[in-house]
Amino acid sequence: MGELDIGVYVPQMGFSFADVLHRAQRCEELGIGSLWLYDHLYGPGMPEIDSLEAWTLATALLARTERLRVGHMVLCNQFRHPVVLAKMATTLDQISAGRLQLGIGSGSIEDEHRRTGLDWGSFATRSARLAESLEILTQAFGSGTVDFTGEHYAIRDMPIRPGAFQQPRPPIVVGGVGEKYTLPLVARYADVWNVPTYALGELEHKLAVLRSICSGIGRDPSTIVMSVEAVMALAPDEQSLPKVREFAEKRFGGPGFGLTEGGLIGTAPMIVERLRHWRDLGFGQVVLFTHDRASDQTLEILASQIISEFAG
């Protein structure tokens, strides 16, 4: 059938460290390639719920696994100075022997910026900051020295050593579908482009736009891994499908989750058919947000009946 890189998104809201570690270790045991966290100072819209910090959590998970890749969907560029982030990334990539996935975006939750006094800014301003950060990360992972002057950051002859373990660099994942700001950054800087859940209904159009932008700047779009983030409601059998569907629609029925547009509601064979369609469109990675927060049963079915169908 052809390979497809399939990972799971495990937003850490309401989870203890033991909860997340258990899911990470089960993913590794089952041969699921990657686990992804969110980067928020508290669960969006739910500040009263416990939520572990993103980078510290990723570091702990990578220190306690041997093969699993760990990333964020996605880091908020506004939380960390890009030179500090570059240093953090190369260090964690060394610690994990090359298992870091560096997802980054311009920021998505104004309220956490307001509460902390961090500057929010317009989308254009946040995108400009992200563009400069991506240039700084590119220099850091490339030459190992950053020398950059922009509107938002000024760095003079800054060494980043040791460099990353992965060569040429840890994969830089940029998420989003904005045609004016985000997709040009994907075309210029990203190793992986991730389409968020809210844009699944526009998948083919956005793919065409990205390919056009790549053509305009002379980049081969085949050098960018196309990635999809999608909610999956996986039923163990036909009999349980109505109940799984009802639960998923109750929890993830809002327009931002793209449950209907993604179409990943069903038994394993039904999910496989949908993933095959995305693979045939040119997507090489899928990050699944499971309806039951990565239960043991769902992870086991995912590994044995879905991922196995896409093994090389």
Side-chain angles (χ1 to χ4, degrees), residues 5-9 32-36 285-289 302 307:
D5 179 17
I6 298 175
V8 294
Y9 176 50
I32 298 170
S34 60
L35 182 143
W36 301 78
Q285 182 187 76
V286 178
V287 178
L288 297 170
F289 188 175
L302 173 63
I307 291 178

Side-chain angles (χ1 to χ4, degrees), residues 12-53:
Q12 61 266 32
M13 181 170 60
F15 278 159
S16 68
F17 175 60
D19 293 331
V20 186
L21 179 61
H22 173 77
R23 285 158 175 79
Q25 291 177 335
R26 285 303 291 149
C27 284
E28 178 156 281
E29 292 162 2
L30 293 166
I32 298 170
S34 60
L35 182 143
W36 301 78
L37 307 165
Y38 69 31
D39 184 27
H40 294 293
L41 302 178
Y42 54 85
M46 303 183 77
E48 71 281 3
I49 303 298
D50 289 354
S51 181
L52 295 166
E53 192 278 322

Side-chain angles (χ1 to χ4, degrees), residues 6 14 41 63 103 115-116 207 226 244 272 295 302:
I6 298 175
L41 302 178
R115 288 172 183 260
T116 55
L207 181 57
M226 309 297 180
V244 167
V272 166
S295 72
L302 173 63

Side-chain angles (χ1 to χ4, degrees), residues 149-165:
T149 300
E151 182 181 352
H152 301 283
Y153 304 107
I155 298 98
R156 183 178 303 132
D157 196 27
M158 178 66 197
I160 306 293
R161 293 182 177 82
F165 184 93

Side-chain angles (χ1 to χ4, degrees), residues 26-268:
R26 285 303 291 149
C27 284
E28 178 156 281
E29 292 162 2
L30 293 166
I32 298 170
S34 60
L35 182 143
W36 301 78
L37 307 165
Y38 69 31
D39 184 27
H40 294 293
L41 302 178
Y42 54 85
M46 303 183 77
E48 71 281 3
I49 303 298
D50 289 354
S51 181
L52 295 166
E53 192 278 322
W55 195 273
T56 314
L57 181 56
T59 302
L61 296 177
L62 284 165
R64 288 164 173 79
T65 53
E66 295 181 356
R67 297 178 303 280
L68 185 71
R69 289 171 286 124
V70 176
H72 300 90
M73 199 61 70
V74 288
L75 293 170
C76 175
N77 178 58
Q78 318 231 110
F79 289 169
R80 303 165 188 89
H81 189 285
V83 166
V84 178
L85 177 60
K87 190 67 178 175
M88 293 163 66
T90 54
T91 299
L92 186 51
D93 202 48
Q94 288 285 345
I95 290 170
S96 65
R99 293 183 288 125
L100 173 67
Q101 312 283 285
L102 189 64
I104 190 167
S106 60
S108 59
I109 304 294
E110 182 177 1
D111 184 61
E112 59 188 344
H113 288 70
R114 179 180 59 79
R115 288 172 183 260
T116 55
L118 288 170
D119 184 37
W120 175 241
S122 66
F123 184 58
T125 298
R126 298 197 310 277
S127 297
R129 289 186 191 126
L130 177 59
E132 293 189 12
S133 290
L134 288 166
E135 176 61 34
I136 290 164
L137 289 168
T138 297
Q139 288 188 25
F141 295 151
S143 67
T145 301
V146 178
D147 204 318
F148 175 84
T149 300
E151 182 181 352
H152 301 283
Y153 304 107
I155 298 98
R156 183 178 303 132
D157 196 27
M158 178 66 197
I160 306 293
R161 293 182 177 82
F165 184 93
Q166 296 178 78
Q167 293 300 318
R169 65 188 190 182
I172 295 178
V173 184
V174 177
V177 295
E179 297 178 20
K180 184 175 182 181
Y181 298 113
T182 304
L183 292 184
L185 294 181
V186 171
R188 186 167 299 279
Y189 293 108
D191 300 300
V192 181
W193 169 50
N194 182 260
V195 179
T197 56
Y198 61 78
L200 292 178
E202 306 175 277
L203 203 57
E204 295 187 42
H205 167 69
K206 296 298 184 181
L207 181 57
V209 171
L210 178 61
R211 287 173 171 162
S212 175
I213 295 171
C214 284
S215 177
I217 66 169
R219 180 168 185 187
D220 180 356
S222 70
T223 62
I224 303 173
V225 176
M226 309 297 180
S227 172
V228 174
E229 177 193 11
V231 175
M232 178 185 68
L234 176 58
D237 49 49
E238 290 279 358
Q239 291 73 25
S240 60
L241 180 53
K243 185 175 181 180
V244 167
R245 182 188 301 274
E246 180 183 4
F247 180 80
E249 289 175 347
K250 182 178 180 181
R251 177 175 279 184
F252 299 110
F257 288 109
L259 182 63
T260 301
E261 294 84 352
L264 297 183
I265 304 176
T267 60

